[in-house]
Structures are given as structure tokens and as C-alpha cells.
Amino acid sequence: MPPPRPLVVTHNDALLDDLLRLAAAASVELELAGRPESARSRWSQVPLVVVGDDEADTLTAMSLPRRPGVLLIGDHDDADVWRRGVALGAEQVLFLPDDEPWLAGRFADTAEGGDGEALVVGVMGGRGGAGASVLATGLAVTASRQGMAVILADLDPLGGGLDLVLGAENITGLRWPDLADSKGRLGARALRSELPGRHGLAVLSWDRGDLLTLAPDAADVVLAAARRACDLVVLDLPRWPDPAAEYAIGLCASVLLVVPAEVRAVAAATRVAAGLTTLAADVRVVTRGPSSSGLGGPDVAMALGLPFAMHLPAEPRLGVQLDRGEPPGLDDKGPLVQGCGRLIETLLRDHRPVGA
């Protein structure tokens, strides 16, 4: 069934004409409340409520339950509109025409049924060859096999292309160079449907061409669409992030820093961690083994001054599987799949709201 329509409560004909025009541009139908009282039965059921300032006091007096997604359309010249917005419990107070592009995008979000609340998890190697791409792919494949909608995005233009790790290099679809000029708003469903993929997940990869940079604005547009399109976005991050990758790190609920349990790897990861912790609010260490030096995962994390997430033992025959185009994350009995399952469970518990 189509998602519920945004509810509009106003008797201002000029405002209603503007809202209908914006909704039409976003291919969205609006539900109009003929009387403020008729909004009560729909108040908690619709994805978005747009209230004209002419009805703000009436709705406030009705003592409707507080909810997210209430927008009040006001007048720049009315200083009291902010008081009415607070009393109504509005998420935003908007002024037309200045806020028309933002409101049109919000209407379009409701048409896609997305709320932009996908969990974003980054994975970065503490040194070259640490296995960050393998862990990122393993997380994405495991989550997809658990029934989550997943996009796996490659933010490392020098990594050779994450589609190779997934075994999707010969599958037709969009890569970063095709999206490098993205501006405005990108449709979430369109993005996901045009990305190559395997095993139920979509991958946004670099190709093997000459483009090695991505504007932060383009990353903003594309990753905003990715967050609306799915439940989980996994980012494979470069150790020395460019501005686009720095922006992406800021979206992450957590970044997993992958460090082999070796003394030299810890020394290299110290410098990476110093830069990463200035960009990410939550950085956790994932160690990989075996350790010839006897270092344990908690020892590595302590040396880096970061919380320890998990130790992943060596995965038998992983190199052979990757060379054959078999992505990590398919061996249910392997340590990678079991470890990824526990990581996903922990990250969802830590970052998803209660009841989500």
C-alpha cells in the first residue's frame, strides 16, 4: 500500500496553493483537514503534519499529543510565530518561499517512505592491508542476509573498487564517477535500483577510471539518498580521508578501526586514530589475528586509547575465496560471519532508539 499522505491544516488559500504546488512537484498527494478538529484522528498516523500559522493556536488548544514531523508555516514579519511553534511542538518553523526547496524534499521523503534514519557505520584500516574492506563487506553481506536493506559504499578512490571484493565488478550499474556531479536531491529508490549488487545488497563503488576525487556536496546528496533508501549504510573509509570522506565520517554512528594484532600495526594505527577521533564521535577497535607477538585485542585498544569492540580470528581460505569472486560473509560457521553478526547486534542496540 502507498505510504500515508502528509496532513495539511490551514484555511489560508494562498498557502494551500503553494503547498499543493510543492507537493505536485514532489509527486506527493496531500491530505487536507477541512476543520482543525478533524486532524485529531489523523494526527499520530500520518508521516508529516504541515500547519498554517492561522490554525496554530487552535491546534495547540486541542492538547494533541507531541510527535515528530510537525512543521509550522509562518510569516517572517511575525515575531510571535516562534512562540506558537514551541507551543504547538513544531519540529521546524518554515517561511515561504525561502524554505520551499527544503519542504519539497521533505514531501518527497514521505513519498519514498524513508525517514533518512538508516544506521551509518564506517570501517577504516589502521594500516594498509588491515582488512577494512573485508570487514565492511562482511558486515554488509551479513546484515543483508539477516533481512536488512543495505547499501555498501566505497569512499576510498585508491582502493581498487569495492565491487571487486563483493564480486560485482561485471554487474552493470552506477559507480561514483556517474554520481560525481550530483546536486540538489537524489531519489532514494532510484539510487538503490541503479546500483550494482549481489546477495541482496547494493554497492556504490569506484571504478578503475581516472576520477580520484569527489566533492563533499556530491557525497552529501548521494549519502542522503542512501540513508533514506535502506536500514544500514556501511562505509569503507580511506585511512587518509579527503574532504568527501571527512564529511561521510561525520554521518557515522560508529567507526570501526581495524587493526591487526601486531606491534607495527598498532604503531601505524596510532597516527590514523589521532586523526579519526577528531572527526568521529564513536570509534571502536576491531582486531584481527592471529598475533605472533602475543598481543590481545584489549591490549591493542588500550594502546590506542579507544574502546575495544571485538577480535576476529583469521578466516580460513579467505584469500582464495576473494580471488574467486566469492565475497566475505557467506560462511555461516566462519569467524567473520559470526563476528559480524555480533557487531551488528551491538551497534543496533547502542544506536537505534528504544522501540525502533
Side-chain angles (χ1 to χ4, degrees), residues 235-250:
L235 306 179
D236 187 14
L237 299 166
R239 284 181 295 141
W240 306 114
D242 59 13
E246 288 184 354
Y247 167 79
I249 290 171

Side-chain angles (χ1 to χ4, degrees), residues 35-190:
R35 297 178 299 111
E37 294 78 9
S38 66
R40 185 184 296 277
S41 63
R42 302 293 295 147
W43 183 260
S44 300
Q45 301 177 22
V46 295
L48 192 68
V49 180
V50 182
V51 179
D53 195 39
D54 58 305
E55 299 289 5
D57 287 336
T58 301
L59 289 177
T60 299
M62 293 168 58
S63 299
L64 295 164
R66 298 286 170 144
R67 54 150 293 167
V70 176
L71 309 178
L72 176 62
I73 311 296
D75 187 328
H76 270 300
D77 297 327
D78 182 3
D80 208 33
V81 68
W82 300 103
R83 177 196 62 79
R84 289 191 290 276
V86 171
L88 181 64
E91 176 185 308
Q92 297 276 352
V93 176
L94 306 179
F95 303 98
L96 305 184
D98 295 355
D99 293 320
E100 284 189 359
W102 187 90
L103 181 56
R106 193 66 181 268
F107 279 155
D109 291 347
T110 65
E112 293 179 335
D115 57 10
E117 292 300 324
L119 177 65
V120 183
V121 176
V123 184
M124 181 182 290
R127 67 156 170 82
S133 295
V134 169
L135 177 59
T137 306
L139 282 171
V141 171
T142 301
S144 177
R145 295 178 69 207
Q146 290 179 353
M148 299 177 67
V150 185
I151 289 180
L152 173 63
D154 183 2
L155 271 296
D156 187 358
L158 301 179
L162 200 58
D163 53 356
L164 287 167
V165 182
L166 190 61
E169 66 274 15
N170 294 321
I171 299 177
T172 302
L174 297 177
R175 267 76 174 175
W176 274 118
D178 303 308
L179 299 166
D181 295 325
S182 297
K183 297 178 181 179
R185 183 184 183 282
L186 186 64
R189 291 179 181 175

Side-chain angles (χ1 to χ4, degrees), residues 296-318:
D299 300 323
V300 173
M302 183 178 297
L304 295 173
L306 294 171
F308 175 62
M310 180 172 294
H311 177 75
L312 291 174
E315 181 87 3
R317 297 177 53 79
L318 178 61

Side-chain angles (χ1 to χ4, degrees), residues 210-288:
D210 296 330
L211 182 68
L212 297 177
T213 59
L214 183 69
D217 288 348
D220 179 12
V221 170
V222 175
L223 293 178
R227 293 166 67 197
R228 296 193 305 271
C230 58
D231 305 310
L232 175 68
V233 178
V234 180
L235 306 179
D236 187 14
L237 299 166
R239 284 181 295 141
W240 306 114
D242 59 13
E246 288 184 354
Y247 167 79
I249 290 171
L251 300 176
C252 294
S254 290
V255 177
L256 305 175
L257 183 63
V258 185
V259 185
E262 305 166 0
V263 174
R264 288 186 63 191
V266 174
T270 300
R271 299 182 65 186
V272 176
L276 178 59
T277 51
T278 66
L279 301 171
D282 181 54
V283 180
R284 310 182 188 193
V285 174
V286 174
T287 54
R288 297 191 65 195

